[in-house]
Amino acid sequence: FIIPFTIDTTQIDDCCASIEPTPRASVTIPSPANAFDRRTQHHHIMSETDNKQEASRKETMRNASLAASATNKEKAARATSASEFVKFTTAALEFQIMTLQAQLELIRSLSKCSDDEKVAMLFGILDEDKDGKIDARELASGIKKLRADLTFKESLEAAVDRIAAFDTDDDARLNPAEFKTFLESMAKIMGTTFHELSELVVLQVLFSQTGNTFEEEVVGHVAQETGAMDEAVAETKVLNKAMLDKRMMALFKLFDLNGDGRVNFKEIAIGLHNMTKEDMEASAQAAFTALLLFDKEDERTLDYEEFTKLILNIVASSDVKFDEVADAMTAAACSPAVVTEDELVELMVADELYNGLKEMQEAAADVADAVDILQYGRMKKLFSLWDLDHNGKIDGAELTLGLRKFSGAQGLEETMEDAIAAVLTFDEDGDAKLDEVEFAVALVKLAKETDTELHNLVDFLVVVSALKDSDAAEEKFIQSHSKSITEGIIEVQEEIEKLLLEGDSED
């Protein structure tokens, strides 16, 4: 407050002069230097605790105002009158401002904290049950806040991998020292300092707007409490150790006959045949099962990690450890068994059966995706835009015109060839045209080849088709050749059918 009048200071001076000084006891005043040293020592002792407590208080204030803002937003959404809506919305905004102020103060408080204080604060945030250790579920929750692009399953897998790598006491959890080592490793990988990383991670975890849903949290708790997460950590540690074993590396090279860094169906079958000395039929069956179980990327081959899982699975089925049988397995693989001509034929037949099954599975998956996308409104719009004569079918000429709108950089002849190839590939009923389901399957394949989300691809094609007009000259040329394009497709289909019949008769 500002006092709205002035004071005559001469009267104060006169008054003070008339007062007799009161005798005081002698007091020894410490030198400024000594007093400063004591204050510095006291500050050094208290600062770390004070900084951490201050940051924790700011975090609590932020969480409280954030929760209050969310509550008032919910109340505003349920308001039954305009005055209620204004009241709750105003309160929500006020708490949002308080949240931002608390965040700003928290950032300032963190800047005063040492690296160890930041790590301790982050550890405390992640250690939800306050047992002094971070389990896989708790770490996964933190990872999800740092990496919003990860799915719930991917965050759990990442957490299991990290704990398996840095858990030195084999309790499937990270204690404070192991957690700090984990962060130091992250800093090296990211090419930053531990000081910068620790503050960044704390802020990201605290201020993240992402995280697990309620359902995901429940699943995570159940997985942790039933021991599934601990078991996954233990299995990953065994896998990591086995992958670093030079004998496993040598075994993989013995299986990888063509040296491409992956093992295919035939290589697995022959390798198992050499190692187990069982007949080729049993080895082929084992290879078949192995690819179905461990080929997670559906590439019809196994990389080194997937191969290691296969070998560990074989070993576990015999109730032994890899270290106990590694030498024997390597020796057996180094002594190839004789493969007879009949066994080679068995292997070729099994290989064809496996590839045929995978193609059937892929086709079934494509049809399932196609049926799903057919329920999407814009899919029907796209089909209608390309089906120019609205007869419920897209012929070669119509498909060419549709493709031209988003592949103008191609030559017209190349686009026509792509359209004809698409009809030949996806026309199941042999009428040289694509109905809605066949057209949808074609789009599913196109989305996979271009690594585009299917719905996004359909949205893009609808927009381009609706906004971009066809080149008049090209459209006239394509329409004039519509009949000949369809006849050409039918001719090729008949020729293929003829060749297939001849092949069957020879068999």
Side-chain angles (χ1 to χ4, degrees), residues 221-282:
H221 276 285
V222 171
Q224 189 66 57
E225 291 171 4
T226 57
M229 300 301 294
D230 291 352
E231 186 178 338
V233 170
E235 289 176 354
T236 302
K237 294 185 92 167
V238 171
L239 174 65
N240 291 344
K241 182 181 179 181
M243 289 181 67
L244 294 173
D245 194 311
K246 291 183 179 180
R247 293 169 297 180
M248 184 68 78
M249 297 177 189
L251 203 58
F252 180 74
K253 290 181 179 179
L254 289 171
F255 272 67
D256 183 18
L257 299 176
N258 62 5
D260 65 351
R262 304 186 71 90
V263 288
N264 58 33
F265 177 84
K266 290 180 180 178
E267 290 172 332
I268 296 171
I270 291 173
L272 292 176
H273 179 64
N274 291 335
M275 192 171 68
T276 63
K277 308 306 180 187
E278 292 187 0
D279 58 61
M280 185 59 73
E281 183 178 355

Side-chain angles (χ1 to χ4, degrees), residues 93-152:
L93 290 173
E94 289 172 347
F95 280 116
Q96 281 181 354
I97 293 171
M98 290 175 63
T99 301
L100 293 173
Q101 289 174 336
Q103 286 186 192
L104 182 59
E105 291 172 4
L106 177 56
I107 292 172
R108 289 170 179 161
S109 298
L110 281 173
S111 66
K112 301 174 187 176
C113 293
S114 67
D115 291 346
D116 286 341
E117 287 176 319
K118 293 170 189 172
V119 173
M121 185 175 181
L122 179 60
F123 189 92
I125 294 169
L126 296 179
D127 181 19
E128 295 176 16
D129 58 10
K130 307 305 175 188
D131 64 349
K133 296 191 176 185
I134 297 174
D135 58 39
R137 185 201 64 79
E138 292 169 333
L139 185 59
S141 181
I143 290 173
K144 187 71 179 291
K145 291 178 180 177
L146 292 172
R147 293 281 307 278
D149 59 311
L150 294 181
T151 64
F152 173 63

Side-chain angles (χ1 to χ4, degrees), residues 15 44 65 134 158 174-175 198 201 208 273 336:
C15 181
H44 179 74
S65 54
I134 297 174
L174 296 182
N175 60 37
S198 59
V201 174
S208 174
H273 179 64

Side-chain angles (χ1 to χ4, degrees), residues 451-471:
D451 194 24
T452 307
E453 201 279 323
L454 184 55
H455 291 77
N456 291 341
L457 175 64
V458 172
D459 290 346
F460 169 72
L461 292 176
V462 167
V463 171
V464 172
S465 300
L467 297 181
K468 189 174 182 181
D469 293 328
S470 300
D471 180 274

